[in-house]
Amino acid sequence: MTELVATTPGLYPLPDWAKDELSALKGHQKGDLIGGDEGPEIVDAYRRARTDVVDAQVETGLDRIVEGQLRWDDMLAHPLTIHDNVETGGIVRYYDNNNFYRDPQVRGELTPSGDVADELAAVEADAEDLQAVLPGPYSLADLATDEHYGDEADFLDAVADYLAGEVEGFPAHETLFLLEPSLVEAPPDEDADDHVSETIDRVAAATDADVVVHTYWGAVPEKTYAHLMDADVDAIGFDFVTDADASLYNINEYGTKDGIAMGLVDGQNTLVESPETIRDRVEWVDERTHTDFERAYLTSNTELFYLPVNRFEEKLAALGDAAALAEVDA
């Protein structure tokens, strides 16, 4: 029987009180806070906000607890925008989500900063419940501008080595989600597919945890997906909200891992799915694939940052209850 694990890709909305408090502390607008520049009051506000979102995950019964990435003003680009050798350029739009972020311009060598590790270490959760979240190497390189390495392949290698160094500093954790929406939105050229798979391997090898490469904003093109299957990871994530048919095609045509992350909850729509609806969607996927999965991560298709806080919390509860229903049915 497939083990169902309720979790999320992280990147949560700030609690409403934290938005107000941070705005008052530093005239905070999105993108204004840079890692290392926060004063003690801002650090404390983020600490209390982290406690809120961790508590929300525990109370709603999620099986994996993420830090929440509340400081990630620039979303997936955050690990670079706080780096000493990266300058933040003008405002750009990532993908097609109507949110705007700063352009990280890499001007020097990328060395691990320990910033994400410090955030993860601050989570009050047992190691067997803890889930780390990072952008995957391909997406992070895609969202950045290289002004130092001068070669696309060398830059991707540098980003992968940087992320692997960050992971090596992480406290013990059960799962690592690598978020790779650029595999869908800006897939690599055919001659680069193997290299992308190798860089994902490099990051995955830096942890003993189960590694999930979560893709979204649609389905990965089939040739890119076939190469992604070469990566030594435990599960691949699929966006069954945006393009279920193409996701099923990839699974049935090229196979998948023994684990799967099912993006079944809409991370951008305020309509809250019921636990029964989520379970129906799990069964829908199961009935249409040829794989007996050892573990299925039930998750939202995208980050949850885009939602109002009350809807975000309701979606956490729906995911937790959907996984709990499996135990009752068993």
Side-chain angles (χ1 to χ4, degrees):
M1 180 179 175
T2 303
E3 176 191 7
L4 300 186
V5 176
T7 190
T8 66
L11 289 106
Y12 289 168
L14 271 169
D16 292 333
W17 69 261
K19 292 179 185 177
D20 294 340
E21 188 167 325
L22 287 164
S23 180
L25 285 170
K26 199 174 178 179
H28 174 49
Q29 299 295 321
K30 187 170 182 62
D32 285 348
L33 297 182
I34 311 264
D37 291 343
E38 300 98 328
E41 291 178 316
I42 289 175
V43 170
D44 182 64
Y46 277 119
R47 179 192 61 78
R48 288 181 281 120
R50 180 190 300 116
T51 298
D52 280 3
V53 299
V54 168
D55 288 348
Q57 293 171 83
V58 173
E59 291 168 3
T60 53
L62 294 194
D63 299 298
R64 297 289 184 272
I65 306 300
V66 301
E67 187 269 337
Q69 294 74 47
L70 301 175
R71 286 178 58 243
W72 291 29
D73 286 350
D74 295 295
M75 301 295 279
L76 295 185
H78 169 85
L80 286 185
T81 58
I82 60 164
H83 197 284
D84 289 342
N85 290 333
V86 176
E87 294 183 10
T88 50
I91 300 297
V92 295
R93 185 169 75 171
Y94 298 166
Y95 312 122
D96 188 22
N97 57 20
N98 293 322
N99 282 272
F100 295 83
Y101 314 93
R102 294 168 302 177
D103 172 29
Q105 300 175 0
V106 178
R107 304 296 177 107
E109 184 180 0
L110 292 176
T111 54
S113 69
D115 182 83
V116 180
D118 288 343
E119 289 181 332
L120 197 61
V123 176
E124 294 185 5
D126 294 335
E128 59 266 27
D129 299 326
L130 189 60
Q131 176 176 300
V133 173
L134 277 176
Y138 180 72
S139 293
L140 188 56
D142 176 51
L143 296 177
T145 300
D146 172 30
E147 301 287 353
H148 176 71
Y149 293 93
D151 177 83
E152 189 172 326
D154 289 345
F155 182 53
L156 180 56
D157 280 331
V159 170
D161 289 341
Y162 158 69
L163 288 173
E166 292 286 346
V167 172
E168 288 171 357
F170 283 179
H173 53 286
E174 186 71 15
T175 311
L176 169 63
F177 260 48
L178 294 176
L179 308 185
E180 282 283 17
S182 286
L183 291 178
V184 175
E185 285 289 317
D189 296 334
E190 290 186 19
D191 58 354
D193 281 331
D194 280 339
H195 188 207
V196 170
S197 175
E198 291 168 2
T199 59
I200 291 172
D201 273 349
R202 203 175 309 164
V203 180
T207 179
D208 294 328
D210 288 341
V211 178
V212 181
V213 178
H214 189 45
T215 64
Y216 49 98
W217 305 127
V220 179
E222 58 181 296
K223 290 183 179 179
T224 300
Y225 178 80
H227 285 279
L228 179 60
M229 275 295 293
D230 293 333
D232 188 13
V233 297
D234 299 280
I236 295 173
F238 300 87
D239 183 348
F240 289 109
V241 173
T242 305
D243 198 339
D245 289 340
S247 297
L248 287 175
Y249 174 83
N250 282 340
I251 294 170
N252 290 329
E253 185 71 16
Y254 299 100
T256 194
K257 305 295 183 177
D258 291 334
I260 184 174
M262 298 183 182
L264 304 171
V265 169
D266 195 330
Q268 293 185 284
N269 193 314
T270 56
L271 178 65
V272 179
E273 300 83 352
S274 70
E276 292 77 15
T277 295
I278 296 170
R279 285 302 311 279
D280 287 346
R281 292 176 180 178
V282 172
E283 293 175 8
W284 186 89
V285 173
D286 188 55
E287 290 169 357
R288 288 163 176 78
T289 55
H290 312 314
T291 303
D292 293 325
F293 298 108
E294 294 180 4
R295 176 179 293 160
Y297 296 90
L298 309 188
T299 186
S300 58
N301 63 328
T302 69
E303 314 99 317
L304 293 165
F305 166 83
Y306 314 100
L307 297 172
V309 172
N310 62 334
R311 294 292 182 259
F312 148 73
E313 292 177 343
E314 289 169 8
K315 295 207 178 208
L316 293 187
L319 286 165
D321 289 345
L325 281 176
E327 299 178 5
V328 174
D329 293 343

